[in-house]
Amino acid sequence: MDSISLPVESQPSMFHAGGPAAERIAQLGWVFTSVAVAVTVVAVAVLIAALHRRRSGRTQGVGPFEDPRGPLRWIVTGGVILPAIILAVCFVCTLLTQSAIARPPRPVVATIRVTAHRWWWEVRYPGIAGAAEVVTANEIHIPVGEAVQVELVSNDVIHSFWVPELAGKTDVIPGQTNSMWLQADHPGRYLGECAEYCGVQHAHMGFVVVADAPADFASWAAGQRLPAGAPAEPAASAGLDVFRRSSCAACHAIRGTGIAAPAGPDLTHVASRTTLASAMLPNNRGNLAGWVTNAQSLKPGSEMPTIRLNGRDLQALVAYLEALR
Amino acid sequence: MTPSGSTSPAATAVSSQLSRARLAEIWETPADLRGILSSVDHKTIGKRYLVTAFVFFILGGLEAVVMRAQLVHGDMHLLTPEAYNQLFTMHGVTMIFLFASPVLSGFSNYLWPLMIGSRDMAFPRVNALSYWTFLLAGIFLYSSFLVGQAPDGGWFGYAPMTQRAYSPGLNIDFYALGLIYLGISTTVGAVNFIATFFTLRAPGMSLDRVPVILWGTLTVSFLIVFFIPALTVASTFLYLDRNVGTHFFDAANGGHPLLWQHLFWIFGHPWVYIVVLPAMGLASDIIPTFCRRPLAGYTFVALATIATGIVGSGVWLHHMFATGLPPLAMSFFSGASMTIAIPSGVSVAAWLATIWYGRPVFKVPFLFMIGFIILFVIGGVNGVMTAPVPFDWQLTDTYFVVAHLHYVLLGINVFPVFGALYYWMPKMSGRMMSERIGRWVFWLMFAGMNLAFFPMHITGMLGMARRVYTYPSGMGWDAANLVTTVGAVVFAAGVLLFLVDLVRSLRVGPLAGDNPWDAPTLEWSTTSPPPPYNFAVLPTVRSRYPLWEDRIPEGARSIVGRGPVLDDGRETIGTSPLDADPVAVLHMPPDSSWPLLLALALTVVFYALLAVSWLWTGVGALLVFICLVGWLTPSRPSRGAGED
């Protein structure tokens, strides 16, 4: 597992804003960070001055017994009035930011339903005007410059949906549907994470948000709506048989083949995705083979079992999966 | 305690060896096994609390060091995810429940009667029960490691991940039952502190003259009485969901997972103040000694303590900003969370003013106080950074919060505690600790603390979520994590050096004398270590700093070393709640084995519940009943026998 490098260009810094919500929050963050640093610097400076200031007179014995006015002025000014003013200003900034990002800058163009599972994300784009639904996993495509609504439901425990460069967290809680909106202002790939501890593989529950230019988004969506084509090559065709025979078909669905188990990610277009195992591995031939045969050592405790296949079957299966573009 | 107002405390000139010998005979616990198991002396109990809490501190620290080894860089395989999740859960449970709070109970138990000029706590046997249940609840929680099923749901144990469907082992049963059991210990301890505060202060120690630690512990005792029930209810629901088939947290059957979060944080946020307010009190009592002047703004500091407790009870929702709550509710809790900065600001300003107007003496305890003030400020402002709702949506559940909570818990609990150990160890053991080694301990801990936790602010802002057993390399998190691990090792070295110094000083440390720091409060007027009866004669107090009264006219000074002896059995003076006018001579109970037996019976109950054996639960409950009957049966009226 040494060669893992996630297929995202940027680091998921909350100050590296890729959209309007993260932008506003980052501004608020800078306000609070600056205030925090300033208060710390001043307090430590006063502390150092208090410790080392020159003192006159006797150096032995106990000092004044009754409080002079001085200390009380410190407390009222430094402990009450100054903090109250600073906090009031900060609180107003907070309310302004909160109301600014409550709704997207313009109407949403799509609603995406994301279902959190232990430990992966199911993503559905409802069919519009007779078009088929898009079902994918761990990869959310959005049109750049447009806002989309994300409805979040959980299949099991509490998770939290977080794309640091685009927006803050929204928890995904069984028994309720939380919603939030996403908008990216630049085409690109943004790493997402589950931020709420959700069990043994919480560490490997990432996803990728891909902001596409409008034309790219449209062609991506059109491609995803199609069922899987019949395998063109003999190797891939053998792979489909392996898929049916082995335990794969017990959990996964491939539209167009009649294989429709709901437990794991829909694999109809798995080869079009850039990552495997919830953004844990880049999607390539080697990782695909490794994931199929070795899931429990790559991601111990996940629901994906380690599948025993002979070399020929594995090659055929991977050839088939790689053809699911 | 039985008030017997008819016995009027005769003011007797004392010092006769005879009366000291007689007091020793009345109060001393025999050094045999039975004595050890039945002692109700608050000093013994306090020291046991401190030692036990410290053992848990070491265990929790070792857990942290192992975790930091796993996280030293990305994609490490030192630990399995299960092992990591058990370690981070038990690290939190240990530090929060088995160290941070009990260590302060230890100080309060040891110091309160000495500071307020009394001979024991109000309910000495309840005090013993509080310790034994703490010890046994801790052992109960740690016995989960013996079966390899330590709690693994985080110290916050969010449902429904903790439900049987997602956590089939015993892990969460240990957690739920352990917290209920520990709640008994904390609650009876809190009741004892409240009763002691309002009945046992020395004559003349009116409310404006009590040491600040008393305000801290009193405030948190009320918080405990009010808010531990929320945790107990939540844990009971959890146990029932898992073992009896109820659906409190099960959304599919009409329950709701957020019920757990509300109950847990209604308890959990006040708990943060429960583990810091008494420590802030320790600081407020130590700083004046080394600034050679009284605490500036005593009244403000006392009121700030109470205000923090009250406001801190209404901020729990800020742990839940990302759960999809109504915006108005969030704004309210956001504002309340920021408001807490004001009482904290008052305390910091008071300490700074005390230093500014004082004449600092740079001894080791004071170094820890300086470190504490700096860490308090950082832990305060980075807490304010998490208060605004939108920014919290980014920061919550990242390493930034790990940084914040460690600045709070290490800065405002551990640093004052280590300062307090250096400060009061001479009183407890009669021997001084080393100034030279102590400076090393301080600097190692201070440097290690900042090396370990400051970089976490950055890793959090760079998007690293908490509670991950590993992380990918190349995300910009590697360097900060490496520094964090180095810092953890440096900090651990400081703690190790402290242990070396402690053992050395207990054996060969120079004798301390009664008052090595020229400190102002009553505990320094008795011998080091104090005799079993604390004070040969009970003092009368006329100021906040009874041992610093040179400038007060002779007639207005506190009376220490002259006064009532009270040696007709185990006796101490009961006083009125506000002005501490003497109102009664209280007969205190003798040593008793019932607290230990009751705690053992409770342990039977909890292991039976763990095994879901109703038969054995019934047997345990019967044993509990028998112990309670034994406890409450009046002993034959003999000299000094009384009832709690």
Side-chain angles (χ1 to χ4, degrees), chain B residues 436-508:
Chain B
R436 199 165 56 84
I437 302 177
R439 277 164 204 276
W440 277 98
V441 171
F442 168 75
W443 283 110
L444 284 171
M445 286 178 65
F446 189 71
M449 150 89 214
N450 285 292
L451 271 179
F453 296 105
F454 198 84
M456 286 186 182
H457 293 107
I458 314 288
T459 40
M461 286 175 162
L462 292 179
M464 183 168 171
R466 299 169 72 173
R467 303 161 185 143
V468 289
Y469 74 93
T470 187
Y471 56 94
S473 287
M475 304 288 281
W477 305 335
D478 304 67
N481 273 290
L482 177 63
V483 174
T484 291
T485 299
V486 171
V489 172
V490 172
F491 187 88
V495 175
L496 192 66
L497 193 58
F498 170 81
L499 290 176
V500 171
D501 190 17
L502 180 63
V503 171
R504 196 203 56 85
S505 98
L506 291 179
R507 293 158 52 96
V508 298

Side-chain angles (χ1 to χ4, degrees), chain A residues 209-279:
Chain A
V209 174
V210 184
D212 294 319
D216 294 342
F217 179 74
S219 72
W220 173 83
Q224 297 285 316
R225 284 200 186 91
L226 299 173
E233 294 174 28
S237 181
L240 175 56
D241 288 339
V242 174
F243 195 97
R244 284 187 201 280
R245 272 191 280 118
S246 67
S247 46
C248 306
C251 296
H252 294 283
I254 300 176
R255 279 171 287 139
T257 63
I259 301 167
D266 183 301
L267 299 181
T268 310
H269 298 288
V270 63
S272 73
R273 299 177 203 151
T274 50
T275 69
L276 293 171
S278 302

Side-chain angles (χ1 to χ4, degrees), chain A residues 1-2 4-6 8 10-15 21-22 25-26 28-30 32-37 39-44 46-53 55-76 78-80 83-84 87-88 90-91 93-95 97-99 101-102 118 155-158 160 162-176 178 191 193-204 280 297-301, chain B residues 75 77 81-82 85-86 88-89 152-154 156 158-161 165-167 251 256-258 261 291-298 300-301 320-324 327-328 330-332 334-336 338-339 341-346 348-350 352-360 362 366 370 373-374 377-378 381-382 384-398 460-477 518 543-546 548-552:
Chain A
M1 276 184 62
D2 328 78
I4 293 172
S5 67
L6 278 167
V8 286
S10 61
Q11 289 156 356
S13 162
M14 60 184 68
F15 286 111
I25 296 178
L28 182 70
W30 282 122
F32 271 79
T33 307
S34 313
V35 169
V37 171
V39 168
T40 307
V41 167
V42 170
V44 172
V46 173
L47 174 64
I48 291 171
L51 288 168
H52 293 295
R53 78 190 182 101
R55 289 170 168 87
S56 54
R58 66 197 180 90
T59 51
Q60 286 298 310
V62 176
F65 211 65
E66 294 305 323
D67 275 329
R69 290 278 173 85
L72 287 184
R73 268 205 301 274
W74 279 63
I75 292 167
V76 173
V80 180
L87 290 169
C90 287
F91 190 56
C93 293
T94 301
L95 294 179
T97 305
Q98 201 177 336
S99 86
I101 64 171
R118 292 182 310 160
N155 183 56
D156 37 56
V157 303
I158 296 177
S160 190
W162 186 34
V163 192
E165 292 160 282
L166 297 182
K169 298 170 195 75
T170 307
D171 288 353
V172 189
I173 300 170
Q176 71 184 55
N178 282 346
L191 187 70
E193 306 168 46
C194 173
E196 186 60 82
Y197 175 61
C198 55
V200 69
Q201 279 299 337
H202 166 57
H204 293 128
M280 185 181 171
S297 65
L298 288 167
K299 193 170 170 179
Chain B
D75 302 317
H77 292 277
E82 290 88 354
N85 292 343
Q86 292 186 15
F88 94 73
T89 301
D152 58 356
F156 48 92
Y158 275 5
M161 200 183 59
Y166 305 110
S167 180
H256 205 296
L258 286 186
Q261 292 193 24
C291 291
R292 315 305 304 147
R293 57 153 288 134
L295 181 68
Y298 170 92
F300 283 82
V301 173
M320 299 168 62
F321 282 160
T323 57
L328 186 64
M330 288 195 285
S331 299
F332 175 83
S334 175
M338 289 187 201
T339 309
I342 290 177
S344 308
V346 166
V348 172
L352 290 178
T354 307
I355 297 171
W356 180 274
Y357 289 100
R359 296 174 179 283
F362 291 86
F366 190 57
I370 297 169
I373 293 173
I374 295 171
V377 171
I378 299 176
V381 296
N382 66 16
V384 170
M385 288 172 72
T386 64
V389 175
F391 200 35
D392 183 67
W393 285 334
Q394 287 283 26
L395 295 176
T396 186
D397 287 322
T398 69
M461 286 175 162
L462 292 179
M464 183 168 171
R466 299 169 72 173
R467 303 161 185 143
V468 289
Y469 74 93
T470 187
Y471 56 94
S473 287
M475 304 288 281
W477 305 335
D518 188 19
S543 83
R544 219 168 267 161
Y545 297 106
W548 274 0
E549 294 182 347
D550 314 14
R551 298 182 173 204
I552 292 181

Side-chain angles (χ1 to χ4, degrees), chain B residues 510-588:
Chain B
L511 292 178
D514 291 359
N515 192 357
W517 312 112
D518 188 19
T521 37
L522 284 178
E523 76 273 25
W524 301 104
S525 70
T526 187
T527 54
S528 307
Y533 45 87
N534 290 356
F535 301 95
V537 294
L538 295 168
T540 300
V541 170
R542 297 267 172 76
S543 83
R544 219 168 267 161
Y545 297 106
L547 308 189
W548 274 0
E549 294 182 347
D550 314 14
R551 298 182 173 204
I552 292 181
E554 189 83 40
R557 290 184 190 171
S558 302
I559 305 166
V560 180
R562 249 169 335 111
V565 181
L566 300 189
D567 58 356
D568 186 19
R570 287 194 175 187
E571 291 179 328
T572 193
I573 296 180
T575 52
S576 65
L578 302 182
D579 295 332
D581 293 327
V583 291
V585 172
L586 304 172
H587 289 282
M588 308 304 281

Side-chain angles (χ1 to χ4, degrees), chain B residues 11-24:
Chain B
T12 325
V14 169
S15 73
S16 79
Q17 288 299 323
L18 208 63
S19 83
R20 283 176 187 273
R22 184 172 153 79
L23 280 167

